[in-house]
Amino acid sequence: MLYFSRFKMILIWLAVAATVILAAPNLFSASTLAQLPNWVPKRQMTLGLDLQGGSHILLRMDPNDLTKDRLETTRDQIRTLLRDAKIGYTGLAGSGRTVQVRITDPGQVDAAKTALKTLTDPVAAGLFSGGSVQEMSLDDSEPGLLKFTVTDAGIKYRTSTALAQSLEVVERRVNELGTTEPIVQRQGDDRILVQVPGLQDPQRLKDILGQTAKLTFQMVDQSMPVQDALNGRPPAGSSVLYSQDDPPVPYLIENRVIVSGENLVDAQATYNSQTNEPVVSFTFDSKGAARFGQATSQNVGKLFAIILDNQVISAPQIREPILGGSGQISGNFTADSANDLAVLLRAGALPATLTVIEERTVGPGLGEDSIHAGKVAGVIGSILVVVFMFVAYGFLGFIANIALAVHVAMIIALLSLLGATLTLPGIAGIVLTIGMAVDSNVLIYERIREERRNGRSVIQAIDTGFSKALATIVDSNVTSLIATVVLFWLGTGPVKGFAVTFAIGILTTVFTAFTFTRLLVSIWLRRARPKELPRAPVTFVPPGTRIPFMGIRRWTFALSSVLSILAVVLFMTVDINYGIDFKGGSLIEVQSKDGTADIADIRSRLSELNIGEVQVQQFGDPNDVLIRVGTQEGGENAEQTVIDKVRGELQDHYEFRRVEVVGPTVSGELAKQGTIAMLIALLGILIYVWFRFEWQFAVGAIIATVHDVVMTIGFFVITGLEFNQSSLAAILTIIGYSLNDTIVVYDRVREDLRKYKRMPLPLLLNNAINETLSRTTLTSVTTMLALLALVLFGGEVIRSFTLAMLFGVVFGTYSSIFIAAPLLILFKLRPQAATADEEKPVSGGKAVAT
């Protein structure tokens, strides 16, 4: 176990060297790396939006808009086809998903079906079975009445094709903004995710993404005054549309479209040579130029309207035919608004409206503060753990600390190599793995000490310690990995970043413990040839400790039952402080530009905006304020309106550092995903533990874990901490940690069951817990030291996450000893010995097998 061939040693040292080389670029700035030779690795970790600033926007396409457009198209097609076939009809109308028409002459019904057959013909759709899909179905059960209904498959097909088209349009619009490395990707059946790092003006992005940008050129109907059309009824074939002015100006517009935005080949923001006002210059393709030239030639002296999304931008008079295929759009433009319109026209129109259902925006200032806080917490947490390990193990602790440094470097190297995104919770994950990474070394070292006390030589004790600790370390880390995989699968954004970092940390922990640490120990053995294990400055749990834990199991069961019931009752009767992730609404973090923030003034000004429930509280420093606005009744668009109102009211005196908006659609989904995540994690762990142990162990582990989850939820209720996605990540991490601790105890119980065939179960459990008590204590302390650094120095944004983790570690340690182990007695793991005398004497500080 301790022997390493020269080839294996070279491979390990090469792996460590590669780790350092790949992680090193993260220590330098981008400008410094640019000056280095090309062969030097320069890839750094990708920072998440919460660290570098930027916007995360989730857009949803409404299938109802597509259905409405399809019905209008079908109605026009029916009118045209029946007229061409000279078939009389009446009652042509559409509602819901159906268009119906009545054929006036019963003898022409068959002819009408033949004329309209193209409406029900399948269309090519490679993604669907058979390569085609029937969009419309015909119902002719009532004599003379034909009903055409959009099918479910048709809606799915239209949504899929429209989303693919929208994805291209959105990507073109975002790229036109000149941002670096934006992410635009499809999410689900009807959504598009847009992430733009480093964006300074998120409102501009939302404005550009939210517009359909359907541009048309139509004639102004001058046959009657527009006021008469408003008071009475517009002429057939015309409609009243309004301008973008404030107040809006009405225009009577002919419905016939002369040219549409589809015929544009270019659009640029320029300046009018005569007035020097910003305008948008456009150029048509040959088809559009011909149509536009013909229309302007026939209507000299009349007005034509330039219409964007059913709003009149301008309505100039045609003074002379425009034959060159180009022109200008003038209006009340600023340089930015003219440029934005040009961007929209170049990118093309969206086939349907996209609604913002989730927004998470972080300003660059907050990102820098988060990075600084994460670095401080990481350094302090590392120092605490390093010092503690040296105090607990002396020279062996020094070896563990070297392995810990390689472990951290390996996490950073892998994150850089894989291009994974580092988020603020991801930094917390690194700090947390620093506390938990030493667990493998603690397990090994405690085993070594135990084997040495049992009379083995130093070399034999070390070799046996590594061998016996392997199974325990693998089992305990697999349970943590199961919870982390579930978290990655169902998590989003920063939470997924935490899962990636934590999962990498789990894997590198096992690698460093059983390769690098073992290599360093073997080198020390060969060179120092020690006669005894290095002494530790402090002994936290004296050898031979025999605490009768099972003697008080009824009291601990009663205490846990009472606390669990109390937590459930509080959860059902007292409203937990759900964050916007689960109840929807808006969260805005602002920072005063002029010293201390005036919370009373902010509350007073926002209460006048008529935006519903508003909470204003200090957040960290005196100049930082957190504003929460409840869910709006008007749906997704109303949520965005709230942000606009708050920004307009406060932006002169406050810097907007963070904006999060979660609509009712997303909040409901996140709550459902959170519940599913916990159930799947518990089920996966149950199956694994059952496979590795016996059913009593699996059920006992799950009950102990559920106890920890219930306690943590009760902690959120009592403290009033906000329960959000990060809190859910904390609970899933607690599940992994609690199982990690429980598996260590259970593994020793299983070992003792083989060793002491007739020992009473309560005594055997006492023996197993006492044998692992030093490991449990040391691991808990190192993890809590790292978490304490996060709580004190990690910043307000992740404080609820780290406080919940700290609480969970304490109760996870408690449940492993006082819940998980005693449950094996309740489940009669060893029926013949379960009721035997619990106070059987021990001899020589060790349990006596009987």
Side-chain angles (χ1 to χ4, degrees):
M1 189 74 180
L2 292 175
Y3 172 74
F4 287 86
S5 64
R6 184 178 298 275
F7 178 71
K8 186 180 289 187
M9 289 180 63
I10 292 174
L11 284 180
I12 294 174
W13 285 114
L14 285 175
V16 172
T19 292
V20 174
I21 292 172
L22 290 173
N26 294 280
L27 299 174
F28 303 97
S29 63
S31 58
T32 302
L33 291 175
Q35 299 174 3
L36 298 177
N38 293 331
W39 55 268
V40 176
K42 300 178 183 179
R43 190 164 187 173
Q44 296 178 308
M45 288 184 292
T46 303
L47 298 182
L49 297 182
D50 55 347
L51 293 178
Q52 65 172 316
S55 288
H56 162 111
I57 294 176
L58 186 61
L59 303 162
R60 180 177 179 269
M61 175 180 290
D62 189 355
N64 293 329
D65 289 349
L66 298 172
T67 303
K68 182 180 177 182
D69 290 344
R70 184 68 179 109
L71 289 182
E72 290 178 358
T73 303
T74 302
R75 191 165 57 241
D76 293 341
Q77 286 178 309
I78 291 174
R79 183 183 296 113
T80 301
L81 291 171
L82 291 181
R83 283 180 180 175
D84 291 346
K86 296 182 172 51
I87 297 174
Y89 65 91
T90 185
L92 178 59
S95 62
R97 293 166 55 175
T98 301
V99 176
Q100 65 180 28
V101 62
R102 185 174 294 278
I103 308 302
T104 53
D105 182 359
Q108 289 187 306
V109 172
D110 290 338
K113 290 181 182 179
T114 302
L116 301 177
K117 184 178 182 300
T118 54
L119 297 178
T120 58
D121 286 344
V123 295
L127 295 177
F128 294 85
S129 57
S132 63
V133 61
Q134 186 175 6
E135 281 194 86
M136 306 290 294
S137 62
L138 172 62
D139 177 11
D140 58 353
S141 57
E142 185 176 340
L145 184 67
L146 303 180
K147 294 182 178 180
F148 293 89
T149 303
V150 183
T151 64
D152 291 337
I155 292 176
K156 186 175 181 181
Y157 165 70
R158 283 283 164 181
T159 303
S160 179
T161 54
L163 193 66
Q165 181 183 345
S166 298
L167 195 65
E168 294 179 5
V169 173
V170 168
E171 192 164 8
R172 286 198 296 267
R173 290 182 183 182
V174 173
N175 290 334
E176 288 279 359
L177 293 176
T179 55
T180 56
E181 299 182 355
I183 297 174
V184 180
Q185 61 188 29
R186 179 172 181 163
Q187 193 170 82
D189 296 329
D190 59 355
R191 298 178 188 181
I192 296 175
L193 174 65
V194 180
Q195 291 184 335
V196 185
L199 186 67
Q200 300 293 327
D201 188 1
Q203 187 60 43
R204 183 185 177 206
L205 175 65
K206 287 191 295 181
D207 291 342
I208 288 177
L209 295 180
Q211 288 194 55
T212 307
K214 185 177 182 180
L215 182 74
T216 57
F217 295 80
Q218 298 168 233
M219 296 305 300
V220 176
D221 189 344
Q222 296 175 278
S223 64
M224 66 183 299
V226 67
Q227 198 59 45
D228 293 347
L230 288 171
N231 296 333
R233 188 173 183 179
S238 297
S239 303
V240 175
L241 298 180
Y242 290 86
S243 72
Q244 295 179 329
D245 300 307
D246 188 16
V249 178
Y251 289 89
L252 185 61
I253 305 296
E254 293 182 6
N255 294 340
R256 180 175 61 92
V257 175
I258 300 173
V259 190
S260 70
E262 296 175 357
N263 299 115
L264 285 177
V265 293
D266 190 26
Q268 298 290 336
T270 59
Y271 289 91
N272 188 302
S273 59
Q274 297 178 350
T275 63
N276 205 34
E277 293 179 345
V279 295
V280 177
S281 299
F282 60 86
T283 304
F284 288 121
D285 58 17
S286 57
K287 184 178 179 181
R291 286 182 180 178
F292 196 61
Q294 181 181 8
T296 55
S297 298
Q298 295 172 354
N299 294 282
V300 174
K302 296 182 180 180
L303 303 177
F304 79 97
I306 303 172
I307 299 167
L308 180 69
D309 292 343
N310 290 324
Q311 285 187 307
V312 178
I313 297 178
S314 62
Q317 185 180 33
I318 303 173
R319 302 186 191 278
E320 58 185 14
I322 304 174
L323 304 176
S326 62
Q328 289 182 345
I329 302 174
S330 60
N332 296 322
F333 292 129
T334 64
D336 286 340
S337 62
N339 186 65
D340 289 348
L341 177 57
V343 167
L344 292 171
L345 298 183
R346 286 198 301 272
L350 292 167
T353 303
L354 295 175
T355 303
V356 178
I357 59 174
E358 181 184 10
E359 175 194 354
R360 300 181 190 274
T361 299
V362 175
L366 180 60
E368 292 175 2
D369 290 349
S370 297
I371 292 174
H372 176 72
K375 287 181 178 178
V376 171
V379 169
I380 293 176
S382 300
I383 291 174
L384 291 175
V385 172
V386 165
V387 170
F388 182 81
M389 284 298 293
F390 183 76
V391 169
Y393 290 106
F395 182 75
L396 288 179
F398 174 73
I399 292 177
N401 290 332
I402 295 176
L404 181 63
V406 172
H407 160 76
V408 174
M410 193 166 289
I411 293 177
I412 296 173
L414 286 173
L415 287 173
S416 303
L417 186 64
L418 297 174
T421 301
L422 179 68
T423 62
L424 183 57
I427 293 178
I430 292 177
V431 179
L432 183 59
T433 57
I434 289 173
M436 294 182 64
V438 297
D439 175 54
S440 296
N441 286 314
V442 169
L443 275 168
I444 293 168
Y445 290 170
E446 289 303 310
R447 267 294 188 177
I448 291 173
R449 283 178 171 179
E450 185 179 338
E451 295 300 326
R452 179 62 179 146
R453 287 195 297 268
N454 289 338
R456 294 183 184 272
S457 67
V458 172
I459 294 178
Q460 289 176 332
I462 292 175
D463 189 55
T464 306
F466 273 101
S467 299
K468 289 189 174 181
L470 177 60
T472 305
I473 291 173
V474 170
D475 284 336
S476 60
N477 281 285
V478 165
T479 53
S480 294
L481 194 60
I482 290 173
T484 308
V485 169
V486 172
L487 186 60
F488 175 81
W489 178 36
L490 293 175
T492 59
V495 173
K496 184 167 287 190
F498 167 79
V500 170
T501 305
F502 198 63
I504 291 174
I506 292 172
L507 297 176
T508 54
T509 294
V510 177
F511 173 80
T512 52
F514 277 92
T515 53
F516 192 62
T517 301
R518 193 157 53 91
L519 175 62
L520 293 179
V521 171
S522 68
I523 293 173
W524 168 68
L525 281 175
R526 284 200 306 271
R527 294 190 175 183
R529 300 187 180 277
K531 303 297 183 181
E532 190 55 74
L533 294 175
R535 292 186 178 276
V538 177
T539 300
F540 290 90
V541 178
T545 300
R546 288 292 174 262
I547 302 174
F549 292 104
M550 296 303 102
I552 59 171
R553 68 176 184 275
R554 293 178 179 84
W555 293 100
T556 57
F557 275 159
L559 175 63
S560 295
S561 299
V562 170
L563 291 177
S564 298
I565 293 171
L566 180 61
V568 172
V569 171
L570 286 173
F571 176 73
M572 297 177 66
T573 56
V574 179
D575 289 335
I576 194 170
N577 183 20
Y578 284 112
I580 63 170
D581 293 329
F582 297 117
K583 68 178 182 181
S586 305
L587 183 147
I588 307 164
E589 183 183 342
V590 298
Q591 187 176 72
S592 174
K593 298 178 181 178
D594 308 311
T596 303
D598 190 340
I599 294 178
D601 177 62
I602 294 175
R603 190 178 289 114
S604 173
R605 292 165 66 178
L606 296 184
S607 63
E608 297 175 0
L609 297 180
N610 192 28
I611 55 177
E613 178 189 358
V614 178
Q615 298 177 7
V616 183
Q617 67 184 70
Q618 185 178 328
F619 189 69
D621 296 333
N623 57 340
D624 290 336
V625 176
L626 195 67
I627 302 168
R628 289 188 179 89
V629 184
T631 306
Q632 304 297 299
E633 295 181 357
E636 319 287 356
N637 289 325
E639 302 288 352
Q640 293 298 317
T641 303
V642 164
I643 300 300
D644 295 339
K645 288 183 177 180
V646 175
R647 192 182 294 274
E649 184 68 29
L650 300 179
Q651 64 183 354
D652 291 340
H653 300 95
Y654 292 89
E655 174 193 347
F656 281 66
R657 290 163 62 82
R658 177 166 56 118
V659 175
E660 296 186 12
V661 182
V662 179
T665 302
V666 174
S667 61
E669 291 173 354
L670 289 176
K672 181 180 178 181
Q673 286 180 348
T675 304
I676 293 174
M678 281 193 285
L679 293 177
I680 291 177
L682 290 172
L683 179 61
I685 291 167
L686 174 68
I687 293 172
Y688 180 80
V689 177
W690 198 329
F691 174 77
R692 291 288 292 144
F693 295 84
E694 298 178 41
W695 72 264
Q696 292 96 330
F697 290 95
V699 177
I702 292 301
I703 292 176
T705 304
V706 170
H707 163 271
D708 298 338
V709 171
V710 170
M711 289 293 99
T712 306
I713 291 175
F715 173 74
F716 275 103
V717 176
I718 293 173
T719 59
L721 287 173
E722 182 181 289
F723 190 86
N724 49 33
Q725 277 200 90
S726 295
S727 307
L728 179 62
I731 288 180
L732 284 170
T733 309
I734 289 168
I735 288 175
Y737 180 87
S738 176
L739 262 297
N740 183 304
D741 214 11
T742 299
I743 292 300
V744 171
V745 175
Y746 277 180
D747 190 76
R748 183 55 65 94
V749 171
R750 180 175 58 179
E751 182 180 329
D752 286 352
L753 283 171
R754 300 191 191 104
K755 188 185 300 183
Y756 307 118
K757 300 292 186 181
R758 300 182 56 82
M759 179 183 288
L761 188 55
L763 183 58
L764 184 143
L765 294 175
N766 275 336
N767 189 63
I769 295 172
N770 279 290
E771 286 176 338
T772 57
L773 187 60
S774 181
R775 173 266 164 197
T776 300
T777 302
L778 295 176
T779 298
S780 298
V781 171
T782 54
T783 306
M784 285 190 283
L785 287 174
L787 286 170
L788 193 60
L790 283 171
V791 170
L792 297 177
F793 306 103
E796 290 288 337
V797 176
I798 58 170
R799 182 148 295 167
S800 64
F801 168 82
T802 51
L803 280 172
M805 277 298 306
L806 191 59
F807 177 86
V809 167
V810 173
F811 263 85
T813 304
Y814 163 85
S815 67
S816 299
I817 297 173
F818 294 106
I819 304 296
L823 281 173
L824 299 179
I825 301 175
L826 187 65
F827 296 151
K828 301 186 184 303
L829 179 64
R830 182 182 281 180
Q832 72 275 15
T835 58
D837 181 14
E838 299 182 17
E839 303 299 331
K840 199 156 186 109
V842 292
S843 174
K846 299 180 69 171
V848 178
T850 59

